[in-house]
Amino acid sequence: MVAMAGKNSADNRTRTSVSIFIVAGLCCFFYLLGAWQRSGFGKGDSIALAVTKTADENCDILPNLNFETRHAGEAGGTEESEEAEELKPCDPQYTDYTPCQDQKRAMTFPRENMNYRERHCPPQEEKLHCLIPAPKGYVTPFPWPKSRDYVPYANAPYKSLTVEKAIQNWVQYEGNVFRFPGGGTQFPQGADKYIDQLASVVPIENGTVRTALDTGCGVASWGAYLWKRNVIAMSFAPRDSHEAQVQFALERGVPAVIGVLGTIKMPYPSKAFDMAHCSRCLIPWGAADGILMMEVDRVLRPGGYWVLSGPPINWKTNYNAWQRPKEELEEEQRKIEEAAKLLCWEKISEKGETAIWQKRKDSDSCRSAQESSAAKVCKSSDPDSVWYNKMETCITPNNGNGEDESLKPFPERLYAVPPRIANGKVSGVSVEEYQEDNKKWKKHVSAYKKINKFLNTGRYRNIMDMNAGLGGFAAALHSPKFWVMNVMPTIAEKNTLGVIYERGLIGIYHDWCEAFSTYPRTYDLIHANGLFSLYKDKCEFEDILLEMDRILRPEGAVILRDNVDVLIKVRKIIGGMRWNLKLMDHEDGPLVPEKILVAVKQYWTLGDTNSTSLQ
């Protein structure tokens, strides 16, 4: 009996100890939760509160777990008590800093063939280790579709285009906003009427044409107005005297990057685009034996269309207005026509100042004509190997990535098996694995929507996936309310960007050890799956996180999915970055070593800590 009593007493003490531990743990949890909810500035708080509330309502995703004790590894030396190094704001001069297209650095490179406008990134010792500030008065952009037509002046305070392009109807300054009437150099009456003209020749309306490339895009009005026709355009223009053209495009909610056709291949895969477009883009298409047209041919699908508006088309009528000699324009058009014939492009329309060519599908029947000419076929076995590779004066063979060039119309294309996979051209990815990947990302995105209720509302217009894989995240999230820039890291094990384009999505090659080709504050939400594990032995996590901070808007959101050991290191750096964050379990529970880190960038500007938004 004495022994029994002793045993009961011990059990009681054990139960009491457990109860005290549970109560103490809950108290600590709610104290930390409350403190987190009240941190930060402005509207970011309301987003953070909503994110926390929805996460707490779904018991399969548990915040504030002590992951270090569950999965030991490389993070063993990282203690919770260690304070993060605070990263300071950069000087005001860096408000619109674009590291790899810095104007001062650009002027030290040759101007020949636009080399100085290409990417020239700072060496490691010259990289900034500070947070790029938003300009004073920065406000949340208007929601789409209002953002297509209006941009807050404070976000991109550059008026030069309102003067330089006044008669061409690019942009007008009205009070505290810029208004974009939809005009362009070749379509001063509006992009809609211009696209109607193109649609009389090009099948824009039926889903056959889904992906488009706009070279020398200006403020991207062509891409902006194609959106409602279910066509997504990748637009690019250099950072030049037209100071903020790409910045304006992204503020409008239109996909765009800083870029130029110079000496380096475009950062896109072969056979990516259904249509390519140049509207008075001032690109010397006929120069250097048509090398720039050959690069467009590389990224254009068989059966795709090339649209050229402006000089030298219809030069006989317009040479006086263009103030250029007839002989010069005639020679320019002759060279373009010769290059197009060499590339097996057939001119299907010329009306006014607009000509349209179609790339032939039956390229084999054209090949003998090419071989009997001076044409040179590219010897490279991989037409998608482009990062910092020089353009070549050669024709890319069409059989580089799959014999079946028939694509479903969009949106059926989004989940149809891409030709590259159906033909076994992507090593290590079978049809079954592709379909399983789609199921996995539908599940992941469903979990994200429980964590962040704003994800599908249009609150986030410009979205980036930093390690896009097969495009499953973008496909599962697909909506007319937003678009996703799918980034394919140049060091990824599998190059699947061509698959992403075959799904009717867009993307770009990039090395995250360098800055992305965009302006600061141009993305509303950034997603990265396994990115830090991929780069852990390649470059500093801090550099990648500072670049994410540079391109993320104030009050923008971040979703990181990675191994817990890696995310613990990432979390420590974020602690000094003016982000509010939460580390969460995988949707399948706490025993899965892969975790989710969600964060919201606080609102702060030069000398102003109050949150502001426009309705």
Side-chain angles (χ1 to χ4, degrees):
M1 292 295 290
V2 173
M4 184 69 72
K7 183 179 179 183
N8 289 339
S9 176
D11 289 344
N12 289 335
R13 283 197 300 270
T14 300
R15 282 193 294 271
T16 302
S17 298
V18 171
S19 299
I20 292 171
F21 178 79
I22 291 171
V23 171
L26 287 171
C27 288
C28 290
F29 168 74
F30 286 112
Y31 173 82
L32 291 171
L33 183 62
W36 182 81
Q37 287 174 337
R38 288 163 180 79
S39 64
F41 300 96
K43 198 168 80 175
D45 277 341
S46 62
I47 296 172
L49 285 164
V51 168
T52 303
K53 183 175 184 295
T54 54
D56 288 346
E57 288 171 352
N58 293 275
C59 297
D60 56 332
I61 302 174
L62 305 175
N64 288 344
L65 290 177
N66 187 354
F67 297 113
E68 297 93 325
T69 60
R70 299 192 180 205
H71 302 279
E74 294 179 5
T78 302
E79 297 296 332
E80 192 71 44
S81 59
E82 288 185 31
E83 288 189 12
E85 177 188 352
E86 182 184 357
L87 291 160
K88 303 291 186 182
C90 302
D91 290 340
Q93 72 191 66
Y94 293 110
T95 295
D96 287 324
Y97 183 53
T98 52
C100 296
Q101 287 90 8
D102 179 65
Q103 296 287 65
K104 290 182 180 178
R105 186 178 294 106
M107 293 305 170
T108 67
F109 288 87
R111 298 200 174 202
E112 185 181 5
N113 298 324
M114 294 296 284
N115 174 270
Y116 75 122
R117 294 297 184 197
E118 295 181 312
R119 287 176 58 86
H120 301 291
C121 301
Q124 184 65 33
E125 62 271 17
E126 293 180 20
K127 288 183 178 180
L128 296 181
H129 291 280
C130 53
L131 304 173
I132 300 292
K136 187 174 176 61
Y138 178 89
V139 293
T140 303
F142 295 106
W144 183 270
K146 187 176 180 180
S147 66
R148 185 193 69 184
D149 303 329
Y150 295 96
V151 166
Y153 171 76
N155 292 12
Y158 303 106
K159 295 182 182 179
S160 60
L161 286 179
T162 65
V163 179
E164 292 176 30
K165 303 295 183 180
I167 62 171
Q168 295 165 10
N169 232 7
W170 276 33
V171 55
Q172 299 167 0
Y173 176 64
E174 298 179 356
N176 65 340
V177 299
F178 289 110
R179 186 170 73 86
F180 295 83
T185 306
Q186 283 302 124
F187 42 92
Q189 301 307 310
D192 254 343
K193 289 185 178 180
Y194 175 71
I195 293 170
D196 284 341
Q197 176 189 336
L198 300 182
S200 66
V201 180
V202 179
I204 288 174
E205 306 289 350
N206 64 6
T208 301
V209 170
R210 164 62 180 176
T211 55
L213 178 69
D214 194 7
T215 55
C217 64
V219 294
S221 287
W222 187 69
Y225 281 83
L226 277 173
W227 181 263
K228 66 181 180 182
R229 303 179 194 234
N230 221 11
V231 175
I232 185 166
M234 171 68 81
S235 302
F236 72 80
R239 181 165 187 173
D240 56 14
S241 57
H242 296 156
E243 177 62 30
Q245 50 189 340
V246 168
Q247 190 174 18
F248 278 137
L250 287 154
E251 286 293 320
R252 297 174 73 186
V254 183
V257 293
I258 303 171
V260 66
L261 268 172
T263 65
I264 303 297
K265 292 181 180 181
M266 291 185 286
Y268 313 114
S270 60
K271 296 185 292 187
F273 297 99
D274 300 309
M275 174 169 55
H277 174 258
C278 160
S279 172
R280 199 82 176 257
C281 62
L282 305 180
I283 293 173
W285 293 112
D289 298 320
I291 189 171
L292 301 182
M293 291 176 66
M294 291 176 181
E295 177 60 4
V296 170
D297 180 74
R298 181 185 68 82
V299 301
L300 193 64
R301 286 202 183 102
Y305 301 85
W306 186 55
V307 180
L308 177 60
S309 292
I313 304 303
N314 201 5
W315 58 269
K316 292 178 182 178
T317 303
N318 295 305
Y319 72 93
N320 275 328
W322 293 335
Q323 297 181 335
R324 289 179 60 187
K326 287 190 292 184
E327 296 78 16
E328 180 182 296
L329 288 163
E330 182 179 17
E331 178 66 7
E332 188 177 329
Q333 178 143 358
R334 184 189 67 79
K335 288 181 176 179
I336 289 173
E337 300 281 4
E338 281 186 358
K341 184 177 180 181
L342 204 61
L343 293 167
C344 299
W345 294 2
E346 180 184 358
K347 185 188 280 188
I348 58 175
S349 173
E350 183 172 328
K351 184 177 181 182
E353 296 177 21
T354 300
I356 302 174
W357 285 263
Q358 184 174 19
K359 181 176 178 177
R360 287 171 59 172
K361 289 184 179 181
D362 56 337
S363 57
D364 289 341
S365 65
C366 182
R367 189 68 63 204
S368 57
Q370 291 176 333
E371 290 173 353
S372 64
S373 70
K376 174 187 173 187
V377 176
C378 299
K379 295 180 180 178
S380 171
S381 59
D382 184 6
D384 296 347
S385 178
V386 299
W387 188 245
Y388 285 123
N389 286 341
K390 293 280 188 180
M391 288 185 200
E392 298 177 82
T393 309
C394 61
I395 300 170
T396 303
N398 281 338
N399 59 0
N401 281 318
E403 295 77 17
D404 181 9
E405 299 298 343
S406 60
L407 286 174
K408 303 289 185 183
F410 195 83
E412 187 181 352
R413 190 184 298 184
L414 188 62
Y415 278 106
V417 177
R420 278 170 166 87
I421 291 178
N423 290 297
K425 298 298 181 180
V426 181
S427 177
V429 182
S430 65
V431 172
E432 293 74 23
E433 287 168 323
Y434 167 74
Q435 292 168 340
E436 282 301 313
D437 187 76
N438 287 332
K439 291 178 184 177
K440 178 183 75 174
W441 279 106
K442 286 178 180 179
K443 179 180 177 180
H444 288 342
V445 168
S446 177
Y448 294 160
K449 289 177 180 178
K450 292 177 181 178
I451 294 170
N452 186 341
K453 70 177 184 180
F454 295 97
L455 198 57
N456 207 35
T457 65
R459 161 68 178 84
Y460 307 113
R461 169 68 181 172
N462 302 358
I463 298 176
M464 175 182 283
D465 191 358
M466 295 177 72
N467 187 17
L470 295 170
F473 169 77
L477 202 60
H478 178 70
S479 166
K481 298 173 184 175
F482 44 73
W483 55 271
V484 178
M485 180 68 76
N486 293 282
V487 182
M488 180 59 52
T490 55
I491 65 169
E493 182 184 351
K494 296 183 179 70
N495 179 0
T496 51
L497 190 56
V499 168
I500 288 170
Y501 273 94
E502 287 178 343
R503 302 186 72 167
L505 305 169
I506 60 168
I508 191 168
Y509 292 111
H510 183 67
D511 181 359
W512 285 111
C513 292
E514 300 178 357
F516 193 72
S517 294
T518 192
Y519 284 81
R521 302 171 301 280
T522 44
Y523 285 86
D524 303 296
L525 186 144
I526 298 175
H527 174 262
N529 172 48
L531 183 82
F532 290 93
S533 289
L534 181 65
Y535 276 92
K536 67 180 179 180
D537 298 321
K538 302 297 187 297
C539 46
E540 298 296 326
F541 284 5
E542 182 180 296
D543 290 338
I544 297 174
L545 287 164
L546 283 171
E547 177 60 6
M548 292 171 68
D549 184 81
R550 184 183 74 88
I551 67 180
L552 185 65
R553 298 192 196 280
E555 301 173 337
V558 173
I559 303 174
L560 306 180
R561 180 182 287 269
D562 216 316
N563 187 279
V564 61
D565 297 332
V566 173
L567 287 183
I568 288 167
K569 293 182 176 181
V570 169
R571 180 177 65 178
K572 183 175 183 294
I573 300 169
I574 290 176
M577 286 179 57
R578 303 191 183 193
W579 290 10
N580 299 327
L581 67 91
K582 184 77 71 178
L583 195 55
M584 297 179 174
D585 273 338
H586 188 281
E587 56 266 22
D588 287 341
L591 298 181
V592 182
E594 182 180 274
K595 305 297 176 187
I596 303 167
L597 188 152
V598 293
V600 177
K601 180 178 176 179
Q602 298 169 6
Y603 177 94
W604 64 279
T605 67
L606 288 169
D608 181 10
T609 58
N610 295 319
S611 178
T612 311
S613 63
L614 290 177
Q615 301 301 319

